[in-house]
Amino acid sequence: MGLAAPWAVAFYGTTPLVSERDSGRIVEVVGEGHTREVATVAGVDGAGEGGLLGIATHDRYLYAYYTAGAENRVARFPISGVPGALSLGRRERILDGIPAAVNHDGGRIAFGPDGMLYATTGDAGRPRLAQDVDSLAGKILRMTPVGGVPPDNPIPGSVVYSMGHRNVQGIAWAPDHRMFASEFGADKADELNLIEPGRNYGWPGAEGFAHRDGYVDPLQTWTPEDASPSGIAVVDGAVVIANLRGERIRTVPLTNLSASVDSHAGEFGRLRDVVAAPDGSIWVLTNNTDGRGALGAGDDRIVRLGRVTGPT
């Protein structure tokens, strides 16, 4: 498919849209294996792990999380046109002032079942910010579709929903509205967490299972060389996790959150995102052109899985 450092997939109706981290491009998938540029987001700084990161759609808007100099921002763009000829209108700033750095920029955005927009942020290479309630770094944020603070947020007047995160790059919800997040550890333990409002997930004081008062322990952990979890989705009764360094799909059943099954290890290289398509299939986004992967034929690309146990 020839994508360049892609980061996220979002569906606008049945049309897949993909963000490219370094180029700042939004492309739509038109037909089997073909893409078309919808727009390039101006002002994107693609240094290091920053750039055009997560995207989401809501009503007739595309939402994007991107790096611009020393800060990360969330903006939205009205979508017009028909599939195969989509375009984006003028940018509307939703949230800014999220600390940015060469590493640990977070970047996943998604709308929850409550209709609110959630955004994950990294610690921007300054771990202490994850414990600073006045900083937007090292947090999961919750806001209205226009960037306002929901009145039921855990901290009055703040978009901070949870804190103590090192670098969350995946969020998803179960049918019963439980919220899950995948998080990069430092050198010991990558995590899958159950996210609850107002809770503290420990970084930098804790990585993995700490069993310390005031901190929430993860549901389970993996060594970074086997994981580096990025995008996640809840599909058919399981949390499905795309892994970068681990180069595999990991599936965690909702009925046993301490268990997991691996599949496709080493088959497609680094995996950045996984999403449920409108037809019920699973789409996996490879990330072998991001400067850390080994290129394969057609990289980077989207792999369509009928089930997590095998490609169609």
Side-chain angles (χ1 to χ4, degrees):
M1 185 172 285
L3 297 166
W7 212 90
V9 180
F11 281 87
Y12 178 63
T14 60
T15 300
L17 301 173
V18 182
S19 63
E20 291 185 337
R21 185 192 68 187
D22 299 341
S23 69
R25 294 198 314 156
I26 302 288
V27 303
E28 59 176 321
V29 179
V30 288
E32 191 71 27
H34 300 285
T35 60
R36 169 190 170 271
E37 181 177 323
V38 174
T40 297
V41 177
V44 168
D45 182 355
E49 295 175 358
L52 177 59
L53 304 177
I55 56 174
T57 63
H58 183 70
D59 293 335
R60 294 189 63 85
Y61 285 92
L62 174 81
Y63 287 75
Y65 182 113
Y66 65 96
T67 310
E71 67 176 5
N72 290 303
R73 301 171 180 168
V74 180
R76 71 175 186 174
F77 305 80
I79 305 174
S80 60
V82 297
L86 295 176
S87 62
L88 299 184
R90 186 172 180 177
R91 169 171 28 204
E92 179 183 343
R93 192 84 59 85
I94 298 298
L95 182 69
D96 54 20
I98 303 168
V102 174
N103 302 109
H104 305 175
D105 288 289
R108 195 67 60 188
I109 57 174
F111 278 87
D114 56 5
M116 297 294 106
L117 176 62
Y118 292 76
T120 75
T121 74
D123 68 9
R126 290 173 281 172
R128 63 176 180 80
L129 294 182
Q131 293 294 326
D132 182 351
V133 73
D134 294 321
S135 172
L136 298 181
K139 310 294 191 300
I140 294 177
L141 312 177
R142 178 178 183 258
M143 66 202 83
T144 70
V146 295
V149 178
D152 57 345
N153 266 13
I155 302 173
S158 172
V159 294
V160 171
Y161 189 71
S162 64
M163 61 187 295
H165 298 291
R166 182 174 182 267
N167 196 20
V168 172
Q169 286 194 0
I171 48 175
W173 290 263
D176 61 6
H177 296 185
R178 282 178 296 171
M179 182 181 180
F180 299 94
S182 58
E183 181 163 350
F184 289 89
D187 52 16
K188 182 174 65 174
D190 292 337
E191 301 176 353
L192 177 67
N193 284 295
L194 176 65
I195 302 300
E196 297 178 328
R199 303 298 296 274
N200 189 328
Y201 290 80
W203 180 256
E207 178 186 356
F209 292 97
H211 308 295
R212 290 178 55 182
D213 290 344
Y215 292 161
V216 180
D217 279 341
L219 296 169
Q220 59 177 296
T221 67
W222 306 275
T223 59
E225 58 265 27
D226 292 329
S228 298
S230 190
I232 68 174
V234 174
V235 185
D236 294 333
V239 182
V240 183
I241 307 168
N243 291 274
L244 289 160
R245 190 174 170 188
E247 298 188 353
R248 69 196 66 190
I249 293 291
R250 181 165 282 122
T251 306
V252 176
L254 293 175
T255 55
N256 185 1
L257 293 169
S258 62
S260 65
V261 176
D262 293 354
S263 62
H264 305 292
E267 190 172 343
F268 307 118
R270 290 164 58 81
L271 306 179
R272 174 66 72 178
D273 198 12
V274 57
V275 297
D279 65 1
S281 63
I282 298 170
W283 286 34
V284 180
L285 185 63
T286 73
N287 218 189
N288 298 314
T289 59
D290 68 348
R292 298 179 180 177
L295 291 178
D299 279 338
D300 267 321
R301 54 198 167 121
I302 294 170
V303 179
R304 181 179 179 271
L305 304 176
R307 301 174 63 185
V308 295
T309 54
T312 59

